[in-house]
Amino acid sequence: MADNRVVVYKGPGEVAVENIEYPKLEVPQEVASAMGMSVAAPHAVILKIVSTNICGSDQHMVRGRTTAPVGQTLGHEITGEIVEKGDDVQFLDVGDICSVPFNIACGRCRNCKERKTGVCLNVNPARAGSAYGYVDMGGWIGGQAEYVLVPFADFNLLKFPDREQALEKILDLTMLSDIFPTGYHGAYTAQVTTGSTVYVAGAGPVGLAAAHAAQLLGAAVVIVGDLNEERLAQARSFGCETVDVSQGPLEELIAGIVGEPEVDCAVDAVGFEASAKPGEEAPAVVLNQIQTVTRAGGSLGIPGLYVTGDPGAADPEAQEGTLKIRFGLGWAKSHAFFTGQCPVMKYNRGLMMSILHDKAQIAKAVNATVISLDEAPQGYKDFDKGAAKKYVLNPHGMIPA
């Protein structure tokens, strides 16, 4: 009997909300078989989802720009209330409200012990690293749903200290599952510090989160570049400088703001669906631009998604993730490149404290906008059109008006 509903990919440009089975305290059979673990998951909990967000990474799948099969469940940005727990969950209780890192991590492998939870070795037979509701990430059911299973719960979950306070600040706290730590990771690995001049490529939610994170880290100037004026206006709403990257060489646009054609550090929050001009896709353009405008000896944070399989790419090389990057330029300028999934657990507790004590206003920065689970298909369409909003799904009506 179907006792759960989840958002499902139905083909390029189409998602639907469908009925599925209520989750069991079991890991996916493919993970258990390949990784030598039991299907039974006494280490897991089932969450009643309080809030779950639409992410730009989901949009790549929905556009048909990954190898996601029809029927792929969606959603990896999850905040929820524990309604059931396994016998081996020791430090969490039914009723706790928790943030779920989008990285699924066992807590027991070498990488997890080194806090590299974005590349856990035990939760995905295909490669290191896993996530809820994502292609090639182990077959875990997505969290744009009413209920979801979270394995290795004692390790993975971040419990909010006070239920009433958590619900009051839920629109900020819901960003802890992915985009706030991911944006912070981009800024942190770019080595943003007091007085830095920073360029952030992309004014989508992750780019806006990176810009807000750069401010928290003490940047003197944060410049956000994009082609979408509505999104650039959102960046200006919390104190960023902005450039329309179609309006001239980026280094000249930057010089008009900081007086020189370079910044101390840069963040790529765009990824492989980058464009130099509206309608002209150029997957390596942002990687090359940030090398051009970052000073010699600077660092580049690259949280933007790059894939190994892109069937919609314009050329065969890009279809397998091979891009024409000016690596010689980066080498000559002694740049440091930081890539890959954000290890959310490295940052989420500190960012939670910043939210709870009113030091961070991430919901305002990304324009958090609440919609119902049934409105998810329209939310995907609006987001794909470039809406300057971060859509937050409210499956059980628990988000206060």
Side-chain angles (χ1 to χ4, degrees), residues 174-322:
T174 191
M175 306 304 167
L176 292 173
S177 57
D178 183 355
I179 69 159
F180 198 12
T182 293
Y184 191 92
H185 180 61
Y188 182 83
T189 56
Q191 299 183 27
V192 177
T193 188
T194 305
S196 295
T197 57
V198 185
Y199 175 66
V200 177
V206 170
L208 296 173
H212 185 44
Q215 293 174 333
L216 292 175
L217 287 164
V221 181
V222 181
I223 304 167
V224 179
D226 205 293
L227 298 165
N228 182 317
E229 175 52 35
E230 183 182 355
R231 289 182 169 181
L232 291 174
Q234 180 61 29
R236 291 192 293 272
S237 75
F238 60 97
C240 298
E241 301 286 344
T242 61
V243 292
D244 180 337
V245 295
S246 70
Q247 297 304 303
L250 181 58
E251 55 268 38
E252 293 181 10
L253 298 174
I254 287 174
I257 296 171
V258 297
E260 57 183 350
E262 290 184 325
V263 290
D264 294 322
C265 43
V267 178
D268 172 5
V270 178
F272 72 104
E273 286 193 72
S275 297
K277 298 178 181 179
E280 293 185 14
E281 195 164 304
V285 66
V286 169
L287 292 170
N288 290 326
Q289 284 178 338
I290 62 175
Q291 291 179 81
T292 300
V293 302
T294 300
R295 68 175 179 86
S299 294
L300 313 177
I302 308 173
L305 177 66
Y306 289 88
V307 295
T308 56
D310 174 12
D315 64 77
E317 289 184 335
Q319 288 174 7
E320 61 176 22
T322 301

Side-chain angles (χ1 to χ4, degrees), residues 2 6 11-12 19 22 42 92 105 115 121 127 139 147 188 193 265-267 272 287 294 315 323 355 378 388 400:
V6 67
N19 293 318
Y22 185 84
L92 297 164
R115 281 300 199 222
L121 301 173
R127 65 181 69 173
Y147 299 91
Y188 182 83
T193 188
C265 43
V267 178
F272 72 104
L287 292 170
T294 300
D315 64 77
L323 308 181
I355 290 169
Q378 186 60 48

